[in-house]
Amino acid sequence: MGWNPLSWFRKPEPPKKKKICCACPETKRARDECTATYGPEDPKCAPLIEAHKVCLRKEGFNKERLAQFVGITGADSGLAQRCLEAAGWSVEAGIEIFYSSGMHMQASRGGSSRLDRAAISRLFEQYRDKDMEEEVVGVEGIQALCEDLGVQPDDIVVLVLSWHFGAEAMCEYSRKEFEEGMAALACDSIDKLKAKLPGLRQELQDASKFRQIYQYAYMFSREKGKKLVELDVALAMWDLLLPPSRWQHIEAWKEFMRTHHKRPVSRDTWNQLLEFVLTTAPDFSNYDDSGAWPYLIDEFVEEMRKQQDGQQRC
């Protein structure tokens, strides 16, 4: 083949960019071996961790990831760098650290003046139900919001979000709830709200916040104008809030309620069930029959003990 003059005008193909997981394999291996053996806080590992960071900086990972992190979270560059360094420069892991450690509260206090409230208002208009006289985000709007956030409407993180919004009714956000909730979360875009989701999920692991969210769920689950929560709604909420990983007897409780109660659930039963779950041994050995428990819980324990006695005889 002869020489092609057009080859002079062809732009060279850019080199393929390394992924952060594949960059600096030697320093990464040394760092990982040390931290796995002695722990990341051990002084022996400090120079190896720093050497890996230096190598990553040379590979050009920092600036791009800093910009991405700041754009999503609104954090300043110093806070962003701290989170990313703690996460080995993984943006996704850094965002989780940002919210789970409470750093987002520091960022929101420092960056509240940069919040674009007009953008929040435009978001509300994007999702609001145009067919209703009231200014609300209705069922279709919440479904669209969940789709944009990449979650299902029955994902528990939507309940946590509604708690932050102070929503008074299921499947509905008023303008005030939506706009003030977004501002309180320091979010003026869907990307920022989406980045908050790992932190919102983490709040469920905080005992105090979980209790607040659990108690809020009762009010949130009531139909407008009703004082009690319908049984089928309460069962669905218990499924969400008290999965088997939190309470091993949840399926037995739901079956008991279906067969023995068959009517709406009172606030007292709702709240006392959580106290029961948190304080009673799995085998009910410490359950005080003379305690001030709702009659439904007394009857549930009696039924479970009968089942346990029957199993022991077999």
Side-chain angles (χ1 to χ4, degrees):
M1 288 178 64
W3 172 66
N4 183 355
L6 293 177
S7 62
W8 284 100
F9 298 95
R10 291 177 184 161
K11 292 182 179 179
E13 291 186 9
K16 290 184 179 179
K17 194 163 189 179
K18 293 180 182 177
K19 294 181 180 180
I20 194 166
C21 62
C22 306
C24 305
E26 293 182 1
T27 55
K28 181 177 185 298
R29 187 183 307 110
R31 180 204 65 179
D32 291 350
E33 287 177 357
C34 184
T35 55
T37 304
Y38 303 106
E41 305 301 326
D42 194 290
K44 299 186 195 68
C45 302
L48 300 175
I49 293 171
E50 184 57 33
H52 187 57
K53 290 178 182 177
V54 170
C55 183
L56 289 175
R57 283 195 287 271
K58 289 179 180 178
E59 293 283 355
F61 282 101
N62 288 22
K63 290 183 180 179
E64 179 184 336
R65 281 166 172 73
L66 271 174
Q68 186 181 355
F69 188 97
V70 170
I72 291 173
T73 63
D76 61 50
S77 59
L79 195 56
Q81 181 162 337
R82 281 163 52 198
C83 291
L84 287 169
E85 285 181 350
W89 288 90
S90 163
V91 175
E92 184 177 347
I95 288 171
E96 186 164 349
I97 290 171
F98 179 68
Y99 290 110
S100 63
S101 66
M103 290 184 184
H104 63 294
M105 300 303 296
Q106 177 183 338
S108 63
R109 287 194 295 270
S112 58
S113 60
R114 298 195 296 271
L115 195 68
D116 188 345
R117 290 186 175 269
I120 295 176
S121 183
R122 288 193 297 271
L123 276 176
F124 176 82
E125 290 297 332
Q126 177 181 332
Y127 295 112
R128 68 169 288 199
D129 190 333
K130 307 298 192 299
D131 297 328
M132 294 182 67
E133 290 185 11
E134 297 178 66
E135 290 190 319
V136 297
V137 176
V139 174
E140 291 185 5
I142 290 177
Q143 287 176 338
L145 174 63
C146 290
E147 187 175 333
D148 290 343
L149 291 173
V151 298
Q152 295 296 319
D154 60 355
D155 190 316
I156 195 170
V157 79
V158 179
L159 176 63
V160 181
L161 179 63
S162 299
W163 174 62
H164 277 279
F165 281 10
E168 294 185 358
M170 192 181 294
C171 302
E172 185 177 293
Y173 298 142
S174 69
R175 178 183 288 277
K176 181 180 180 182
E177 289 168 351
F178 184 90
E179 294 187 355
E180 291 187 1
M182 290 287 284
L185 289 170
C187 293
D188 52 19
S189 71
I190 290 301
D191 283 345
K192 288 183 181 179
L193 184 57
K194 190 172 185 178
K196 279 277 198 294
L197 297 185
L200 298 185
R201 290 188 193 281
Q202 191 65 29
E203 289 179 345
L204 293 163
Q205 306 309 314
D206 180 287
S208 175
K209 286 184 178 179
F210 178 77
R211 183 184 296 274
Q212 293 176 56
I213 293 165
Y214 179 90
Q215 292 174 347
Y216 161 79
Y218 184 84
M219 179 279 295
F220 179 69
S221 301
R222 293 180 303 182
E223 292 182 20
K224 282 188 176 181
K226 293 191 176 182
K227 293 184 178 180
L228 303 179
V229 174
E230 295 298 322
L231 179 58
D232 59 338
V233 177
L235 294 175
M237 274 293 174
W238 277 321
D239 246 346
L240 202 62
L241 289 157
L242 298 174
S245 57
R246 277 191 183 271
W247 187 37
Q248 69 185 66
H249 299 301
I250 182 59
E251 293 301 325
W253 169 256
K254 285 161 49 187
E255 182 59 28
F256 172 82
M257 292 295 284
R258 289 191 194 99
T259 56
H260 291 76
H261 192 57
K262 301 180 183 178
R263 54 185 181 273
V265 176
S266 70
R267 182 191 290 270
D268 184 52
T269 297
W270 178 270
N271 288 338
Q272 287 297 315
L273 180 66
L274 181 61
E275 298 305 317
F276 172 74
V277 169
L278 294 175
T279 60
T280 306
D283 62 356
F284 312 109
S285 56
N286 65 339
Y287 184 76
D288 182 2
D289 296 290
S290 61
W293 295 105
Y295 77 94
L296 272 172
I297 293 180
D298 284 335
E299 290 182 357
F300 173 69
V301 173
E302 184 179 352
E303 181 69 22
M304 293 298 290
R305 283 173 171 169
K306 286 179 182 176
Q307 292 181 20
Q308 289 175 349
D309 289 342
Q311 290 171 357
Q312 288 173 1
R313 291 193 190 98
C314 293

